[in-house]
Amino acid sequence: MLEWAAVAAYFPISSRFFHKNRIFFDCPGQKPPAATIRRWAEACRRGNMDQNPSIDIVGDGAGDQPSAAGQRDRFLGLFLAHQNRIFRFIVAVVPRGVEAEEVFQQTSLTLWQRWDEYDPQADFTAWACGIARNHLRNYLRKKGNQQRLFSDDLLEQLSALQVSKRSYLDELQSALSRCLELLPADRRRLVGLCYGEKRSIQDVAEREGRSPNSLYKLMRKVRETLYDCIMTAVRSGATE
Amino acid sequence: MSEPHRTDAVPEELRSLVEEHCAGTLSDEGNVRLESLLRESELYQTYFLEVMAVHAGLYWSLRDQSPASTPTLPAPVGDDSHLGTPALLEGLLPAAEPQTSAWTLPPSLRSGGWFSLGVAFLVAACISGVVLVSQQKRGPGEVPVAPIARNQAREVRPNEAPSPVDRSQAVARVDKLESQVLVERAGAKKPAVVGMELLADDSLDVPGGGSAELTLIGSARAKLGPRTTFVLGPGREGILREGFLQIDASGRQEGSLAIETPDAQARVEGARLAVGTSRKRTQIRVSEGRVIASRRTDGIEVEILEGYCSTIARASDPNPRPSGNGTALFVVSSKAIYAHEDWERFDQILAERIVGDRLWRSAMPVRVRTYDELDVDDFDGCSLIVLSVFPFKVGIEEKLVALKLPELSTPIVCLEPAAFPILGLTGPTRNVDFGFANGPLVVDVANPDHPLAAGFVGNSLKLFTYKKSPYAWGKPTSNALSIVRLHKYPERWLLFGYEQGAEMAKGKAPARRVGLFMDPVGIDYDTPTLDLIDASIDWCLDVVPPTMVPEYF
């Protein structure tokens, strides 16, 4: 049986290439004819596969293509490692939690659906943020909030900056935990209501017997306190 | 990494605009002004991203926050080590809490306000929250732990001092890999490759859905299952921190292998065995030879012989019980073709992975097939078949009949209600014999003493999901062992089983059969409801369930 991994190692091409060139292994139980493999390999080496995309390899589907589980796990591995960064990018444009989650959910699904287009050599975060950008546009257009979206070029700049500074931004978020602990209990509770439960300011204000305006101000102070604390922690290197 | 900039270089106007952006109160004019400022310098853009990172981090880290509890701490981000323990799942897993005598659950599980719908398509499988406020399970005091009655159990003997071993010598070799397995050596991680020689203290991390096969010193073979961390020791020993390990040392006389888990130490003498470990318990199934295992907490030692298994955990009876050998066949429908537009289908894929991992951790080698791939040869050597949910009317129902699955004399756990009538578990009429609905899933445990109930006791329990989640039910015959039913519709059952030979709706049960609705949206790796899966597996394999201290307090 022709192992996918062996093929991929032998021929330095991506899964995208396989899909693009309609190289399918769709006859379970049959071994790929050696002559076909040689012909195809030769075409690969000569680099004329693009000109001759109809060369198909007949093989054992179970063994030759990456298994569904393998594909899934590779996707999940990358997705789980980068999900926070994708979410962070979305929140930068759509700051309300519920809306951001909706876009994130749509983005995640699209990432999975278009997984076969992903080039393993490419930066996953950049690829995912590109897809998220499209969803952000669609989402805000549907909501009639197109004007609230930054222009394409700025969005692209922010996306690129977000990707280039991801480790730094990761570190900021890592420092958040300690800073959150330092907040007084009543403020932590408010943060929990606004962020954890994603209640609206009006809702929380009513519940707490405050005016919405005072709560806005208080939450602003909380965010500023957290921001200052995080920056201090990062400067002092105390983010472990 | 970028050096943090001086924030006093950021104009107050920008600060205010970014704050309004965070608060969602930014006007259209403000938006235009914000964009204009951001275009001015990268410093401003960096400041903007910093503030928004804090804002996003708060949502991310507090996603399962309940009003009564204090904020949970955010998981570290951007760290590839999370491949093994997803960041998104981490906040949902029960945190270690002090043991209490009352049956309580961690706040993240008690909370009804889990990270509601969205943040993760992945954890949509978890988010809807297993609301277990009213759930009760037998506490440790209610059922006495069975005494260590058999003479296999005895005080552990002191180990002999190990002979010095050269740590630079290879102790294992990688033979086969599936998915990207990482090897950690001297603090650095790198991908494992076939043929790689492994040294003492090397740690292997197998991701979900992956596996690795090794040859150990002395030619014993080891297979690591998904979500497994295994550390090689010097000589013939290793530490299974988490996951699944299968050892084949049969017919070899090079001396014993020593395997450690968080709960147990095992000496393997020319045996074939499977070890599954999750938090707080280790299962060992021996299919050939014998294994001496000792419980780390008190040194109690048991001898596990061929055809037996033992669950080693605090306050459980470690005495070996008869065990089904062979492989579990897990039939899933997780092909991308079914996931293209159905959100829940994707949840299902993830849930299938969770259930699959759960099977591994029961120390059962698992063979996974999709319904499309399923062939009659797959049934060979199976001790158990678990059928996951599948999309209707794409020919799967006919295929199961064509494969004569209903007549198969292998125990089956069926998670797909549409397959209930095919297997003869219920009648064929939808909405009469089986059906689907939406709503709060409040259940009664009608037969709490049965092993299938997994220790759940009581009425009006919210075992599965909350809010309006889709669910399904079946109506078995009066010969069934009916365990869990809907509180509101007592004739609708969510968990039931048939003993071998029992009269079902269609024919006699050729082997034990279990019908179980396991909502793919409402489970995560440590949802207590998954105990019902474990119980179903154990019952089908005729394994007496251990008297356990429940894992979830």
Side-chain angles (χ1 to χ4, degrees):
Chain A
M1 185 188 300
L2 193 65
E3 291 288 340
W4 167 269
V7 171
Y10 189 55
F11 304 113
I13 48 182
S14 67
S15 60
R16 187 177 183 175
F17 180 91
F18 276 71
H19 287 278
K20 186 178 164 192
N21 290 290
R22 295 179 53 244
I23 296 170
F24 298 132
F25 304 87
D26 52 4
C27 294
Q30 290 183 24
K31 275 192 163 184
T36 309
I37 294 179
R38 277 198 298 275
R39 190 156 52 87
W40 172 68
E42 190 55 37
C44 272
R45 288 199 190 95
R46 288 199 307 267
N48 63 355
M49 194 57 132
D50 281 336
Q51 285 76 47
N52 187 12
S54 61
I55 297 175
D56 284 0
I57 285 199
V58 180
D60 184 329
D64 294 335
Q65 269 196 309
S67 66
Q71 289 272 22
R72 198 171 64 228
D73 289 326
R74 179 156 163 66
F75 171 75
L76 282 173
L78 281 168
F79 178 80
L80 293 175
H82 297 269
Q83 54 182 337
N84 192 6
R85 293 166 173 169
I86 304 165
F87 183 68
R88 190 165 64 208
F89 174 66
I90 292 168
V91 169
V93 182
V94 182
R96 287 180 194 272
V98 176
E99 292 179 334
E101 283 171 16
E102 197 176 330
V103 177
F104 180 69
Q105 182 173 328
Q106 292 164 354
T107 303
S108 307
L109 188 56
T110 304
L111 291 175
W112 170 245
Q113 287 167 344
R114 297 176 60 180
W115 175 235
D116 59 353
E117 297 172 23
Y118 173 65
D119 178 353
Q121 307 303 320
D123 184 321
F124 183 82
T125 308
W127 179 67
C129 285
I131 287 175
R133 221 161 46 218
N134 293 334
H135 277 290
L136 284 165
R137 281 197 201 95
N138 289 340
Y139 181 81
L140 292 173
R141 191 169 53 238
K142 275 186 206 163
K143 295 274 178 187
N145 278 337
Q146 182 67 44
Q147 71 279 13
R148 290 294 175 83
L149 182 64
F150 301 127
S151 58
D152 278 356
D153 58 331
L154 179 61
L155 205 54
E156 215 156 286
Q157 283 177 36
L158 289 174
S159 172
L161 194 61
Q162 154 106 6
V163 171
S164 68
K165 289 187 182 296
R166 57 190 156 195
S167 300
Y168 167 60
L169 296 172
D170 287 347
E171 197 179 355
L172 296 187
Q173 288 193 322
S174 295
L176 176 61
S177 57
R178 285 193 178 181
C179 292
L180 209 48
E181 281 181 297
L182 298 176
L183 282 181
D186 61 328
R187 295 196 177 185
R188 280 210 307 271
R189 197 169 55 78
L190 283 177
V191 168
L193 290 171
C194 293
Y195 285 93
E197 298 189 29
K198 291 176 278 298
R199 291 172 184 264
S200 68
I201 289 286
Q202 284 77 10
D203 185 14
V204 176
E206 193 175 317
R207 178 187 166 129
E208 297 292 306
R210 288 170 173 269
S211 72
N213 200 32
S214 72
L215 193 59
Y216 273 121
K217 287 180 180 168
L218 183 58
M219 287 309 294
R220 175 176 180 161
K221 271 188 189 167
V222 168
R223 279 190 287 265
E224 285 173 351
T225 306
L226 287 172
Y227 177 82
D228 291 342
C229 169
I230 288 168
M231 298 313 286
T232 306
V234 172
R235 281 192 194 103
S236 64
T239 55
E240 290 303 311
Chain B
M1 180 181 309
S2 309
E3 195 63 25
H5 55 79
R6 288 177 57 82
T7 49
D8 53 11
V10 176
E12 180 56 33
E13 185 189 11
L14 178 61
R15 288 166 182 262
S16 294
L17 289 169
V18 173
E19 170 54 33
E20 284 176 34
H21 180 64
C22 273
T25 57
L26 190 65
S27 64
D28 292 344
E29 295 75 27
N31 193 65
V32 172
R33 180 62 186 147
L34 175 60
E35 175 158 357
S36 160
L37 282 171
L38 291 179
R39 286 177 182 285
E40 283 183 19
S41 88
E42 190 179 305
L43 172 69
Y44 294 174
Q45 290 179 10
T46 304
Y47 170 77
F48 173 76
L49 289 178
E50 286 169 353
V51 174
M52 296 316 292
V54 175
H55 187 59
L58 285 169
Y59 278 124
W60 193 257
S61 58
L62 301 175
R63 58 193 176 272
D64 59 346
Q65 185 64 58
S66 69
S69 56
T70 53
T72 52
L73 302 181
V77 292
D79 180 351
D80 286 353
S81 65
H82 283 233
L83 288 172
T85 312
L88 202 57
L89 293 176
E90 218 160 60
L92 301 174
L93 301 179
E97 288 192 346
Q99 185 176 338
T100 58
S101 57
W103 215 155
T104 57
L105 290 159
S108 61
L109 287 180
R110 283 197 298 268
S111 163
W114 279 36
F115 188 40
S116 64
L117 199 85
V119 170
F121 76 107
L122 167 75
V123 215
C126 326
I127 51 177
S128 49
V130 180
V131 182
L132 291 158
V133 177
S134 59
Q135 172 190 331
Q136 290 189 0
K137 216 174 172 185
R138 282 198 181 97
E142 295 171 47
V143 178
V145 172
I148 310 293
R150 294 162 55 148
N151 59 8
Q152 290 98 330
R154 55 184 184 268
E155 291 299 317
V156 68
R157 294 187 296 273
N159 289 331
E160 291 175 11
S163 54
V165 176
D166 181 359
R167 286 176 188 269
S168 63
Q169 289 286 317
V171 294
R173 187 188 64 242
V174 178
D175 290 337
K176 193 173 175 185
L177 294 166
E178 192 176 342
S179 252
Q180 188 177 65
V181 176
L182 295 177
V183 177
E184 184 173 350
R185 179 177 297 170
K189 283 188 178 180
K190 60 180 179 180
V193 291
V194 172
M196 181 179 190
E197 293 201 324
L198 301 168
L199 309 179
D201 295 336
D202 279 356
S203 170
L204 282 92
D205 280 325
V206 183
S211 67
E213 293 184 23
L214 314 175
T215 300
L216 305 176
I217 279 183
S219 73
R221 292 180 57 80
K223 178 172 183 176
L224 310 180
R227 282 170 59 84
T228 294
T229 303
F230 183 63
V231 182
L232 289 152
R236 296 167 54 76
E237 57 194 69
I239 302 168
L240 179 66
R241 290 201 173 132
E242 185 184 27
F244 172 88
L245 170 69
Q246 193 175 27
I247 293 278
D248 183 354
S250 57
R252 296 176 178 88
Q253 306 295 327
E254 298 88 353
S256 64
L257 282 168
I259 304 296
E260 279 188 33
T261 74
D263 318 286
Q265 292 173 312
R267 284 203 311 278
V268 181
E269 295 171 3
R272 280 196 297 136
L273 76 155
V275 186
T277 183
S278 55
R279 288 180 307 169
K280 297 186 182 176
R281 75 171 180 180
T282 292
Q283 299 229 27
I284 301 175
R285 292 181 200 271
V286 179
S287 48
E288 188 181 320
R290 69 168 198 152
V291 172
I292 308 292
S294 66
R295 188 159 62 186
R296 292 169 74 100
T297 49
D298 53 13
I300 292 293
E301 194 172 82
V302 291
E303 178 184 33
I304 312 166
L305 299 176
E306 183 175 322
Y308 279 78
C309 76
S310 170
T311 300
I312 298 176
R314 183 170 49 84
S316 85
D317 177 0
N319 270 319
R321 327 178 288 282
S323 161
N325 291 318
T327 303
L329 173 64
F330 187 30
V331 190
V332 304
S333 66
S334 53
K335 279 210 160 182
I337 190 171
Y338 301 135
H340 64 293
E341 58 186 358
D342 186 346
W343 177 251
E344 289 175 10
R345 188 64 60 196
F346 195 81
D347 292 338
Q348 174 203 321
I349 292 172
L350 296 155
E352 281 169 347
R353 179 168 148 175
I354 291 168
V355 174
D357 284 3
R358 194 84 177 190
L359 279 166
W360 282 100
R361 282 162 192 247
S362 298
M364 287 291 291
V366 182
R367 188 189 307 158
V368 180
R369 292 285 183 272
T370 65
Y371 282 102
D372 289 346
E373 295 165 345
L374 190 63
D375 187 81
V376 70
D377 294 340
D378 292 324
F379 302 143
D380 287 347
C382 278
S383 300
L384 172 73
I385 297 170
V386 179
L387 298 177
S388 184
V389 294
F390 56 69
F392 308 149
K393 297 177 182 172
V394 293
I396 293 174
E397 294 91 335
E398 293 78 7
K399 182 168 185 179
L400 296 182
V401 173
L403 291 173
K404 298 188 176 175
L405 196 70
E407 294 97 60
L408 205 64
S409 59
T410 304
I412 296 176
V413 176
C414 179
L415 308 179
E416 171 55 66
F420 290 170
I422 296 167
L423 296 176
L425 306 184
T426 67
T429 311
R430 187 163 171 166
N431 296 328
V432 174
D433 299 311
F434 70 100
F436 304 84
N438 285 290
L441 205 46
V442 183
V443 302
D444 298 339
V445 180
N447 195 347
D449 293 328
H450 196 276
L452 279 171
F456 287 102
V457 178
N459 294 328
S460 300
L461 309 183
K462 293 175 181 172
L463 287 187
F464 291 86
T465 60
Y466 81 123
K467 291 188 178 172
K468 291 193 172 179
S469 184
Y471 67 85
W473 50 270
K475 192 174 170 186
T477 70
S478 58
N479 297 317
L481 299 157
S482 302
I483 310 296
V484 178
R485 67 184 168 202
L486 285 173
H487 180 71
K488 197 172 173 184
Y489 304 100
E491 75 284 4
R492 297 179 175 182
W493 294 87
L494 300 166
L495 170 58
F496 54 91
Y498 289 97
E499 281 284 5
Q500 183 178 17
E503 199 67 51
M504 302 192 296
K506 186 178 168 189
K508 289 187 176 178
R512 284 183 169 176
R513 297 282 191 258
V514 173
L516 169 63
F517 169 68
M518 183 57 63
D519 172 34
V521 179
I523 59 173
D524 69 46
Y525 277 94
D526 289 292
T527 297
T529 313
L530 283 172
D531 287 356
L532 295 173
I533 286 268
D534 294 346
S536 301
I537 293 167
D538 281 346
W539 184 71
C540 279
L541 295 173
D542 202 15
V543 172
V544 179
T547 308
M548 291 283 299
V549 173
E551 290 186 31
Y552 301 100
F553 60 84

